[in-house]
Amino acid sequence: MAEARSIPLAASELPTSWYNLQADMPHRPPPPLHPGTQQPLQADDLARIFPMNLIEQEMSTERWIGIPEPVLDKLLLCRPTPLRRALDFERALDCPVKIFYKDESVSPPGSHKFNTAVAQAYYNHAFGIKRLATETGAGQWGCSLAAACNFFGLELKVYMVRTSFEQKPFRKLMMQTWGAKCVSSPSQDTQAGRDINARLPGTPGSLGIAISEAVEDALTHEHTRYALGSVLNHVLLHQTVIGLEAQKQLASVGLYPDVVIGCAGGGSNFAGISFPYVRDRIHGKTVRILAAEPAACPTLTRGPYRYDFGDLSGLTPLLAMHTLGHQFMPPSLHAGGLRYHGMAPLVSQLKRDNLIEAEAIPQLECYAAGILWARTEGFIPAPETTHALAAAIREAKRAKAEGRERTILLCYSGHGLFDLAGYDAYLSGQLTNHELPQDEIAAAIAKCPPAPAL
Amino acid sequence: MAEARSIPLAASELPTSWYNLQADMPHRPPPPLHPGTQQPLQADDLARIFPMNLIEQEMSTERWIGIPEPVLDKLLLCRPTPLRRALDFERALDCPVKIFYKDESVSPPGSHKFNTAVAQAYYNHAFGIKRLATETGAGQWGCSLAAACNFFGLELKVYMVRTSFEQKPFRKLMMQTWGAKCVSSPSQDTQAGRDINARLPGTPGSLGIAISEAVEDALTHEHTRYALGSVLNHVLLHQTVIGLEAQKQLASVGLYPDVVIGCAGGGSNFAGISFPYVRDRIHGKTVRILAAEPAACPTLTRGPYRYDFGDLSGLTPLLAMHTLGHQFMPPSLHAGGLRYHGMAPLVSQLKRDNLIEAEAIPQLECYAAGILWARTEGFIPAPETTHALAAAIREAKRAKAEGRERTILLCYSGHGLFDLAGYDAYLSGQLTNHELPQDEIAAAIAKCPPAPAL
């Protein structure tokens, strides 16, 4: 008899609270610092950027934070998401492993970003905000926030890094279908954008520039706030529904994972799948937790732990994190969602406390894993997601070498339907791995701001 | 409490047989005719084009046909598909209706075409065929067969209508990711393609030309057969898993639909959702069944019922069907999958027997329905699928006018992630409705071949 692959979860089992790891972690991250005074940031310092209800959530140490009804209602459009066993991928690997994947690609915009987008749009709406501004790189975050703002009647302006804007026109059209406005960054709509356009005509843009534009937009428009799709505590919090659901689904078939894997850029999908398991580990359970990052942007594996800015221009508070330096310019990489110089403070702290491991994987190995997945499981993964798949293959091979069975759980963070040009480049041999010299990292770190030691 | 939207179905409830409507319909369609002799077609006449196991299935009148284990195994990658209640769409319509949609967009290639692609690839493989050739218009069928051939180790060559090939480069890349070869049609790879290219340099191509190329390819290559994604009996048969699952899902919440709706191009997704309900209707159940077709290609509503070729060039057998004439050239329409001059003989016969209704809907009304759906339910529908959504809105308004509650079931045949250029054209006011003059249809019908009257 053909074997079932999907482990469903009834709608009534959708988690009704987010899990806040800050309640359980042995050491909380050092506080973010005001960039001017270098003193711990106060809630009021952020009030022009974020609504107060989200700022309170950012600072909360409550273990469980209830998910508001209107957020649950919209999450139910696609949640609980399927947990699936990757039977054909397993067969192809021929290793003693069971591989389960939590499929976050089934959301309307196609990735896990939808989970926090819905929550952020709701909280801004509840606080009386009428309009949001944000940046987007590859476009997953911009699309997710566009869908969510549309639900709650918020206007949205998205500043999309110019090179992505031109390479991925469908992302802009998707945002527009949901009623959002998306412009190429640097734009002519902000002072920051106009300055850069005058200084560097034809620049491909960067996430740092786009953040500057979005923050300026929020500061200069009435009833407007800024929204961020990763890194911050409240964003990671909203993603914990992923791991909470996966725990119930695996338990329903009597399983517990030996290894939990997520790809890591800013840290949000990794946190989503893993934080509920980190809690278990803190409480004595045996489980390994592995962040897979690109070898070309190896924040957790090669970046020092220190205070640094969250953006290229140095506008944000100083965050305690693993960083390659806020002026580090990662090489062009098809997994655009993983091209971030820093790592969420919560994830960075876990790495310091040896509660998680990290592995850096070269681009070609990731694409090979993505192709194997597409040709066995059928679905085409986002380039970001292929990092988790490649890490799972490494785990499977280790299991075989050791002759020990293993159950692997991974977060399938998004689909790759708008990333097929990357697969084309890979299949036609145009992609290479990027070796990152140590002195390049050292040079970028040297440009970090002076800040208290950690 | 937030209301559940998804009605799951356990993997163990996946149908293990397809339902063959020919066993129950009051009148079977007249037989296909050999284009030369005009005599009823024999199995052997098709043996160079299709494998004998599929030819037997095409001609079978058995009520239930078992689904082979290897096909079930691959269908389980995404089946059973979710049945969801469109709560927010209902709220926006404010009419006394419950609307449920069977979500076929969750398959790896993004549409219902996957259901028959897996079956056809399997049967060809089982018959010893090593290679398939097919045509594709918008690309949904080519992608589905690419995924399926990859599973069973078959080579695949896809002839994609040139205008789509150039407008939708991602479709080609998707096929390539699964290992298939996709060329622009007319190509230089067949005599038919070379002739057309010489005669009409720069032609945008057509489905008719692409079919000629694919058939010639199958006839001139060893171990190769041709595959078709709609119209034929066996293709419609493979789609009945859609309706069989939906029946179980609705029954699990104690509901039975008043109306079942599917969009109709060649007829395959319409057949998939509706044939199990047509059976109920034949056996006395009260249920209306509605095919939604484009006003610009109104086969069922305005095409006469007669023998006609299935392709533009007149290579195929003569089929008894509603047709606009095989030389009818539908206007350029973003719902490329519905631009077909004919209609499946089984569906045409049901229309003749008043077992189904049909409604033709203009393009702008369909896009408006698609936008409303995207902004309420979140998911962006394929342009083909918007015809079913527009028909559901009409039903909802009739229900309100009559003051009678109604439960509507529709087939959500595919997602529109590769069709965002159409939404962009709609939102920027570039699309228009196409009025189809009666004399245009009459002129095309006049070019139909002489054939026995029906």
Side-chain angles (χ1 to χ4, degrees):
Chain A
M1 177 59 200
E3 201 168 341
R5 293 154 192 269
S6 194
I7 302 173
L9 189 68
S12 56
E13 293 287 309
L14 181 72
T16 53
S17 294
W18 292 298
Y19 168 61
N20 187 357
L21 182 65
Q22 296 208 64
D24 289 304
M25 58 201 304
H27 309 100
R28 289 188 192 137
L33 304 182
H34 190 286
T37 65
Q38 300 213 346
Q39 293 302 306
L41 208 67
Q42 303 302 312
D44 284 348
D45 296 332
L46 293 169
R48 292 279 287 118
I49 306 287
F50 298 113
M52 196 51 74
N53 47 13
L54 279 179
I55 295 169
E56 285 163 8
Q57 211 168 63
E58 179 71 15
M59 298 181 163
S60 170
T61 56
E62 288 292 311
R63 180 168 291 113
W64 297 102
I65 296 179
I67 308 177
E69 281 289 314
V71 175
L72 286 174
D73 183 57
K74 296 305 173 191
L75 292 182
L76 280 167
L77 285 170
C78 58
R79 304 205 74 86
T81 60
L83 181 75
R84 296 200 175 100
R85 181 155 173 205
L87 266 184
D88 281 86
F89 190 64
E90 289 175 18
R91 288 169 188 155
L93 294 178
D94 192 25
C95 294
V97 290
K98 290 190 177 77
I99 300 177
F100 293 89
Y101 67 104
K102 183 67 174 157
D103 189 359
E104 295 296 305
S105 76
V106 300
S107 77
S111 84
H112 70 289
K113 295 284 184 194
F114 186 67
N115 298 323
T116 185
V118 169
Q120 291 191 48
Y122 164 77
Y123 281 112
N124 275 282
H125 169 69
F127 194 70
I129 304 301
K130 305 292 180 205
R131 184 175 171 279
L132 289 180
T134 196
E135 75 291 329
T136 197
Q140 291 275 22
W141 167 242
C143 285
S144 292
L145 197 60
C149 283
N150 148 73
F151 292 146
F152 294 104
L154 291 170
E155 274 184 66
L156 174 64
K157 175 112 171 235
V158 180
Y159 296 85
M160 185 168 182
V161 176
R162 185 178 288 165
T163 176
S164 292
F165 184 89
E166 286 166 2
Q167 281 168 14
K168 304 191 184 191
F170 275 19
R171 283 281 175 204
K172 178 195 72 170
L173 298 183
M174 197 179 204
M175 296 180 221
Q176 182 178 302
T177 302
W178 285 310
K181 183 159 187 207
C182 173
V183 296
S184 174
S185 166
S187 73
Q188 294 297 336
D189 300 353
T190 66
Q191 194 58 49
R194 288 188 292 272
D195 287 351
I196 294 278
N197 275 324
R199 196 148 51 83
L200 299 170
T203 172
S206 76
L207 215 40
I209 296 168
I211 293 178
S212 303
E213 289 207 273
V215 170
E216 178 187 326
D217 180 302
L219 291 173
T220 55
H221 284 79
E222 283 203 340
H223 309 299
T224 299
R225 290 294 182 279
Y226 168 71
L228 189 63
S230 190
V231 179
L232 300 178
N233 301 345
H234 69 275
V235 182
L236 275 53
L237 175 80
H238 300 154
Q239 296 295 354
T240 56
V241 289
I242 303 173
L244 293 170
E245 286 180 9
Q247 285 186 323
K248 292 188 189 187
Q249 285 162 305
L250 275 180
S252 77
V253 291
L255 289 174
Y256 191 87
D258 298 294
V259 195
V260 176
I261 301 174
C263 63
S268 81
N269 100 85
F270 172 73
I273 189 83
S274 72
F275 279 9
Y277 288 100
V278 173
R279 181 185 188 216
D280 288 354
R281 191 178 151 103
I282 290 168
H283 292 105
K285 196 99 181 166
T286 303
V287 55
R288 289 175 47 227
I289 295 163
L290 178 60
E293 63 181 10
C297 190
T299 318
L300 278 171
T301 50
R302 295 176 65 190
Y305 181 77
R306 54 160 297 150
Y307 271 114
D308 195 10
F309 291 118
D311 70 321
L312 185 89
S313 320
L315 292 175
T316 72
L318 290 165
L319 303 173
M321 61 184 178
H322 280 281
T323 177
L324 296 165
H326 67 291
Q327 299 209 20
F328 174 76
M329 188 58 72
S332 170
L333 179 75
H334 279 286
L338 305 183
R339 286 180 76 235
Y340 185 65
H341 69 276
M343 181 56 64
L346 287 174
V347 173
S348 296
Q349 184 66 47
L350 294 178
K351 178 70 171 26
R352 254 172 98 69
D353 289 340
N354 289 316
L355 285 165
I356 63 168
E357 305 162 40
E359 206 154 342
I361 309 185
Q363 173 164 264
L364 295 182
E365 185 178 339
C366 295
Y367 269 105
I371 289 286
L372 179 64
W373 186 273
R375 294 186 181 175
T376 51
E377 295 302 308
F379 296 98
I380 298 175
E384 290 81 2
T385 311
T386 62
H387 289 71
L389 305 180
I393 294 176
R394 288 185 176 190
E395 276 300 321
K397 289 182 177 166
R398 283 193 282 259
K400 190 170 194 172
E402 295 167 13
R404 292 175 60 177
E405 294 187 2
R406 219 164 282 193
T407 296
I408 299 172
L409 169 67
L410 64 87
C411 185
Y412 191 83
S413 55
H415 65 63
L417 299 188
F418 293 149
D419 306 284
L420 288 163
Y423 282 95
D424 186 39
Y426 170 74
L427 289 171
S428 56
Q430 292 166 47
L431 294 189
T432 52
N433 287 330
H434 182 90
E435 301 299 327
L436 185 61
Q438 194 59 40
D439 58 2
E440 199 175 321
I441 299 177
I445 293 297
K447 294 179 191 156
C448 285
L454 288 171
Chain B
M1 175 60 199
E3 201 168 341
R5 293 154 192 267
S6 194
I7 303 174
L9 188 68
S12 57
E13 293 287 308
L14 181 72
T16 53
S17 294
W18 291 299
Y19 168 61
N20 187 358
L21 182 65
Q22 296 207 62
D24 288 306
M25 60 201 302
H27 308 100
R28 290 190 189 135
L33 305 181
H34 189 287
T37 64
Q38 301 212 346
Q39 292 303 304
L41 207 65
Q42 303 303 311
D44 284 348
D45 297 332
L46 293 169
R48 292 278 288 119
I49 305 289
F50 297 113
M52 196 50 74
N53 48 12
L54 279 178
I55 295 170
E56 283 163 9
Q57 210 168 64
E58 178 72 15
M59 297 182 162
S60 169
T61 56
E62 287 292 311
R63 180 169 290 114
W64 297 101
I65 296 179
I67 308 178
E69 281 290 313
V71 175
L72 286 174
D73 184 57
K74 297 304 172 192
L75 292 182
L76 281 166
L77 284 170
C78 59
R79 306 206 73 87
T81 60
L83 181 75
R84 296 200 175 100
R85 181 154 173 205
L87 266 183
D88 282 85
F89 190 66
E90 289 174 18
R91 289 168 189 156
L93 294 179
D94 191 25
C95 294
V97 289
K98 291 189 177 76
I99 300 177
F100 293 88
Y101 67 104
K102 183 67 174 159
D103 189 358
E104 295 296 305
S105 78
V106 300
S107 77
S111 84
H112 71 289
K113 295 283 184 194
F114 186 67
N115 298 323
T116 184
V118 169
Q120 290 191 49
Y122 165 77
Y123 281 112
N124 275 281
H125 170 68
F127 194 69
I129 305 301
K130 305 292 180 204
R131 185 174 171 278
L132 289 179
T134 198
E135 76 290 330
T136 197
Q140 290 274 23
W141 167 241
C143 285
S144 293
L145 196 59
C149 282
N150 148 73
F151 291 146
F152 293 104
L154 291 169
E155 277 184 63
L156 174 66
K157 175 116 172 232
V158 179
Y159 295 85
M160 184 167 182
V161 176
R162 184 177 288 163
T163 176
S164 292
F165 184 89
E166 285 164 3
Q167 281 169 11
K168 304 193 183 189
F170 275 19
R171 283 282 176 202
K172 179 195 71 169
L173 299 183
M174 196 178 204
M175 296 180 222
Q176 183 178 301
T177 301
W178 284 312
K181 184 161 184 204
C182 172
V183 296
S184 174
S185 167
S187 73
Q188 294 297 333
D189 300 354
T190 65
Q191 193 58 48
R194 287 188 294 271
D195 287 352
I196 295 278
N197 276 323
R199 195 146 55 81
L200 299 170
T203 172
S206 77
L207 216 41
I209 297 168
I211 294 178
S212 302
E213 288 207 275
V215 171
E216 178 187 326
D217 180 303
L219 291 173
T220 55
H221 284 78
E222 283 204 339
H223 309 298
T224 299
R225 291 292 183 280
Y226 169 72
L228 189 65
S230 189
V231 179
L232 300 179
N233 301 346
H234 69 275
V235 182
L236 275 54
L237 176 80
H238 300 154
Q239 297 294 354
T240 56
V241 289
I242 302 173
L244 293 170
E245 286 179 10
Q247 286 186 323
K248 291 187 188 187
Q249 285 162 307
L250 276 181
S252 76
V253 291
L255 289 173
Y256 191 87
D258 298 295
V259 196
V260 176
I261 301 174
C263 64
S268 80
N269 100 84
F270 172 73
I273 190 83
S274 72
F275 280 9
Y277 287 99
V278 173
R279 181 185 188 216
D280 288 354
R281 189 177 153 105
I282 291 168
H283 292 106
K285 196 100 181 165
T286 302
V287 54
R288 287 175 47 229
I289 295 163
L290 178 59
E293 62 180 10
C297 190
T299 318
L300 277 170
T301 50
R302 293 176 66 191
Y305 180 76
R306 55 159 298 150
Y307 271 114
D308 195 9
F309 292 117
D311 70 320
L312 184 90
S313 321
L315 293 175
T316 72
L318 291 164
L319 302 173
M321 60 184 177
H322 279 282
T323 178
L324 296 165
H326 67 291
Q327 299 210 18
F328 175 75
M329 188 60 71
S332 172
L333 179 74
H334 280 286
L338 304 183
R339 285 180 77 237
Y340 185 64
H341 69 276
M343 181 56 64
L346 287 173
V347 173
S348 295
Q349 183 67 46
L350 294 178
K351 178 71 170 30
R352 255 172 98 70
D353 289 341
N354 289 316
L355 286 166
I356 63 168
E357 304 163 40
E359 206 154 342
I361 309 184
Q363 174 163 264
L364 295 182
E365 184 177 341
C366 296
Y367 269 105
I371 289 287
L372 179 63
W373 186 272
R375 293 187 180 175
T376 52
E377 295 302 308
F379 296 98
I380 299 175
E384 291 81 1
T385 310
T386 63
H387 289 70
L389 305 180
I393 294 176
R394 288 185 175 190
E395 276 299 320
K397 289 183 177 166
R398 283 192 283 259
K400 190 171 193 171
E402 295 167 13
R404 294 174 59 176
E405 294 187 3
R406 219 165 281 194
T407 296
I408 298 172
L409 169 67
L410 64 88
C411 186
Y412 191 83
S413 55
H415 66 63
L417 299 188
F418 294 148
D419 306 284
L420 289 162
Y423 282 95
D424 186 41
Y426 170 74
L427 289 170
S428 57
Q430 293 167 47
L431 293 189
T432 52
N433 287 330
H434 182 91
E435 303 297 328
L436 185 62
Q438 194 60 39
D439 58 2
E440 200 176 320
I441 299 178
I445 293 297
K447 293 179 192 157
C448 285
L454 288 171

